[in-house]
Amino acid sequence: MTPEEILAADAAHVWHPYAALPPAVPPYLVESAEGVRLRLADGRELVDGMSSWWAAIHGYRHPVLDAAVTDQVGRMSHVMFGGLTHAPAVELARTLVELAPEGLEHVFLADSGSVSVEVAVKMCLQYQRAVGRPQRRRLGTWRGGYHGDTFHPMSVCDPEGGMHHLWRDVLPRQVFAPMPPADHGSTPDPGYEAVLVEAVERHADELAAVIVEPVVQGTGGMRFHHPHYLRVLREVTRAHDVLLIFDEIATGFGRTGTMFAAEQAGVAPDVMCVGKALTGGYLTLAAALCTAEIARGIRSGGVLAHGPTFMGNPLACAVANASLALLRTENWATQVSRLQRGLRAGLEPLRPLPGVVDVRVLGGIGVVQLDHQVDIPAATAAAVARGVWLRPFRDLIYTMPPYVTDDADLALIAAGIGAAVTAA
Ligand SMILES: *Cc1c(COP(=O)(O)O)cnc(C)c1O
């Protein structure tokens, strides 16, 4: 097909994320990608400021990751996981347990982040039933969160940003505390701490679990809160037999400057979800990790009632193993602190631009917040004209570049964000 035919067929038949059909604005046609660059069909090259939505941390066509996939294709691309097992999945589970906060010992491999959140919730509900607390069926969270697009995860997304009004009669009604203050790097607010404790205590008898994104609320608004609130949640949930789920799907594997964001609080959840960067952006894979206590509880009541067809897909596990090994050999901590320096240097100068209300950087995440909704097609086109791929949303123009982005390309991304701000 010619590029024109591809775009025509795309408009006629293909859904894109959060889009109408045909989409209001046609997508850009990508032909290939290498390193930190996407190559468009018309020959233009764009530095990827989005890591394909937090995932492609090592860049594209990485020789080690390419080899891991090719090697695994030569053995088997997939076999069912019911009654069978294989080295790639077992090795991955063992590595995740090693890397994860203390006490998370058991790994459920799921096929996407949203499904891993579904599984995490199911673990908690089954556990509470098994230990004689079947009335605990609700979830607690704070506003401003994002946990995926399937129905239970949607029920704990921010009620306004998450378009709950569309789903008022469909979604389970969960318990929401106010949004955490955006106070990472300053001092925690004792008033907010009290509100959080009160919300959990008041609903303790009906809460199976509290679920939050630690430190960074991503798609709910790119807000960074003080890790202290995670310690507060850990204490109050433990005191009331409420389980605690950390959704590290966006924050995991070094993005915020620590391997997991939870480390900034020095606490471990009962269940943790990972996804996005897990395979270095090659294949869809996620996981829900839980404690031995939860596994014991579920066992006393039977089995964990979940089993996706493509569970533990060997190709995805093999490339995840290679990606996690690369994190170590390429020293992710040095890479991410370099991103943080480069993004601070590049984005701080945008603060005085008209319409900018905030500039914030944490680890490999840089955010420019405007006082108005971004004109997404105009902002995107302005960045593309500078050779940068960005995907703004709401009032936010932001970047989380691949860890391998060098200083010159970081400066280019910052220039692209500057152009997008001016156009937005
Ligand atoms: C992206 C994301 C999800 C959903 O993951 P999918 O793979 O898109 O289903 C859930 N939680 C958080 C925090 C995310 O960033």
Side-chain angles (χ1 to χ4, degrees), residues 91-288:
E91 186 189 330
L92 176 59
R94 204 175 55 182
T95 307
L96 287 173
V97 168
E98 263 169 42
L99 293 175
E102 197 58 35
L104 297 167
E105 288 184 26
H106 304 290
V107 180
F108 189 101
L109 295 168
D111 22 22
S112 75
S114 302
V115 172
S116 76
V117 172
E118 299 278 10
V119 170
V121 169
K122 200 181 265 189
M123 284 172 171
C124 294
L125 293 173
Q126 282 196 227
Y127 172 83
Q128 296 287 14
R129 268 191 215 180
V131 299
R133 297 190 284 258
Q135 77 287 1
R136 292 184 174 225
R137 287 190 297 268
R138 295 180 81 189
L139 300 172
T141 187
W142 47 34
R143 286 173 179 259
Y146 176 78
H147 298 285
D149 291 342
T150 58
F151 279 87
H152 246 85
M154 264 204 301
S155 74
V156 281
C157 290
D158 185 74
E160 276 126 52
M163 299 186 285
H164 275 210
H165 57 278
L166 290 177
W167 302 112
R168 194 166 293 139
D169 308 328
V170 178
L171 292 180
R173 292 192 45 247
Q174 313 294 16
V175 173
F176 286 92
M179 197 180 293
D183 54 4
H184 191 275
S186 90
T187 44
D189 171 6
Y192 182 71
E193 181 178 335
V195 164
L196 214 46
V197 168
E198 203 267 334
V200 175
E201 285 180 340
R202 182 147 42 93
H203 293 278
D205 288 344
E206 48 177 353
L207 286 180
V210 165
I211 177 168
V212 294
E213 293 158 279
V215 182
V216 174
Q217 292 185 298
T219 305
M222 303 299 296
R223 291 161 53 88
F224 311 150
H225 57 259
H226 200 291
H228 177 69
Y229 305 125
L230 304 171
R231 290 193 283 273
V232 171
L233 283 177
R234 180 65 284 182
E235 276 169 34
V236 68
T237 51
R238 185 168 283 142
H240 294 277
D241 297 319
V242 176
L243 297 170
L244 182 60
I245 306 171
F246 283 168
D247 179 347
E248 294 252 11
I249 291 169
T251 50
F253 309 111
R255 180 55 75 178
T256 69
T258 47
M259 177 56 78
F260 294 102
E263 292 169 25
Q264 297 182 33
V267 295
D270 302 296
V271 181
M272 180 172 87
C273 296
V274 295
K276 289 200 161 96
L278 175 58
T279 64
Y282 270 55
L283 283 157
T284 178
L285 184 68

Side-chain angles (χ1 to χ4, degrees), residues 337-392:
S337 61
R338 202 175 41 74
L339 292 187
Q340 177 166 287
R341 266 196 313 280
L343 291 174
R344 288 226 164 103
L347 299 184
E348 272 305 320
L350 305 180
R351 212 179 266 281
L353 289 184
V356 172
V357 292
D358 192 31
V359 172
R360 47 189 184 265
V361 172
L362 177 66
I365 309 167
V367 183
V368 178
Q369 186 163 9
L370 305 183
D371 64 6
H372 56 274
Q373 297 284 312
V374 175
D375 176 341
I376 293 172
T380 307
V384 166
R386 292 293 190 103
V388 178
W389 176 243
L390 299 173
R391 184 76 179 154

